């Protein structure tokens, strides 16, 4: 999602609050809870899950392993739920031709440096770089190359944009910033 005028371009960045993250966190929570309940059922020798006869599972070693997987899954699921609730990675990119400044803001993990703000002078932008790697794991990334600072990614690697969409976005941004495009 973006907003553009003659002098200002604001690109909103979606963070962790994506449908896929909600689905993965929910599925991982349910699966790990099932593993943990089967492991506990084998220890107590009681059937806590009516769909699965867990008395047939011996606590040592299968029940211990299932309990371990359940606990590990709950940790990973709670990590995902925390990143979703904190909306890690969300923010905006603001390109202001009038003031000649580029601001990039992102929310990070809670703590001292939760707010991440990068500022650059527009005159320090050397180019917009497109990196394309085709194959099984196709990767199309758009970067902004800044003099003396290196490159900064402008789109996430998991956005799965088509080559045409990446090229169009790069062309529009390069035209707005009045910089060349490099293809790597």
């Amino acid at each position: 999602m973006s907003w553009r005028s003659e002098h200002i371009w604001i690109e909103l960045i979606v963070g962790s609050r994506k449908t896929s993250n909600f689905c993965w966190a929910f599925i991982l929570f349910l699966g790990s809870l099932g593993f943990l309940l089967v492991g506990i059922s084998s220890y107590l020798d009681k059937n806590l899950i009516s769909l699965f006869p867990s008395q047939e599972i011996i606590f040592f070693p299968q029940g211990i392993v299932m309990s371990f997987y359940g606990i590990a899954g709950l940790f990973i699921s709670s990590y995902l739920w925390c990143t979703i609730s904190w909306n890690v990675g969300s923010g905006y990119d603001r390109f202001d031709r009038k003031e000649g400044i580029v601001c990039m803001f992102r929310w990070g993990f809670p703590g001292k440096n939760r707010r991440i703000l990068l500022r650059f002078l527009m005159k320090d932008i050397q180019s917009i770089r497109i990196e394309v790697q085709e194959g099984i794991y196709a990767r199309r990334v758009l970067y902004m190359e800044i003099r003396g600072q290196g490159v900064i990614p402008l789109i996430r690697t998991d956005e799965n944009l088509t080559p045409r969409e990446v090229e169009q976005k790069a062309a529009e941004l390069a035209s707005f910033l009045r910089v060349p495009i490099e293809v790597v």
Side-chain angles (χ1 to χ4, degrees):
M1 217 169 107
S2 66
W3 178 83
R4 214 180 338 174
S5 73
E6 187 179 334
H7 298 288
I8 295 175
W9 178 326
I10 298 175
E11 185 87 25
L12 297 177
I13 308 297
V14 177
S16 299
R17 292 184 184 163
K18 296 188 316 184
T19 307
S20 61
N21 286 348
F22 280 103
C23 290
W24 282 116
F26 186 70
I27 289 168
L28 190 60
F29 173 75
L30 287 180
S32 60
L33 192 62
F35 271 93
L36 188 61
L37 284 175
V38 168
I40 292 171
S41 294
S42 69
Y43 176 73
L44 298 176
D45 205 25
K46 291 185 178 180
N47 198 8
L48 298 177
I49 300 177
S50 59
L51 300 173
F52 186 73
S54 55
Q55 290 98 351
E56 296 175 9
I57 294 179
I58 303 166
F59 179 67
F60 185 80
Q62 291 94 350
I64 291 174
V65 170
M66 291 189 86
S67 298
F68 172 75
Y69 285 145
I71 291 170
L74 287 175
F75 277 120
I76 295 169
S77 173
S78 51
Y79 168 79
L80 283 173
W81 283 114
C82 287
T83 59
I84 290 168
S85 66
W86 295 323
N87 204 10
V88 173
S90 67
Y92 64 87
D93 295 338
R94 182 173 186 246
F95 305 95
D96 191 342
R97 270 199 317 216
K98 197 172 193 179
E99 294 182 20
I101 294 175
V102 175
C103 294
M104 302 177 122
F105 176 79
R106 301 289 186 278
W107 286 108
F109 287 96
K112 184 178 177 184
N113 298 321
R114 175 156 164 70
R115 305 181 82 171
I116 303 164
L117 179 64
L118 303 173
R119 285 184 166 203
F120 304 102
L121 295 175
M122 205 168 276
K123 65 180 182 179
D124 289 337
I125 300 173
Q126 286 182 315
S127 65
I128 299 297
R129 182 188 296 180
I130 302 172
E131 184 179 300
V132 178
Q133 293 177 349
E134 296 298 334
I136 295 174
Y137 299 108
R139 183 175 173 210
R140 300 171 192 103
V141 186
L142 193 63
Y143 294 101
M144 181 172 57
E145 188 170 358
I146 300 174
R147 188 174 293 117
Q149 302 289 324
V151 293
I152 297 175
L154 295 175
I155 59 173
R156 295 166 53 127
T157 56
D158 64 348
E159 280 189 46
N160 293 329
L161 298 175
T162 65
R164 182 179 173 94
E165 291 171 331
V166 172
E167 289 173 5
Q168 183 178 3
K169 190 169 185 172
E172 289 175 0
L173 187 57
S175 173
F176 183 81
L177 296 173
R178 297 180 181 132
V179 296
I181 298 175
E182 292 180 15
V183 179
V184 179

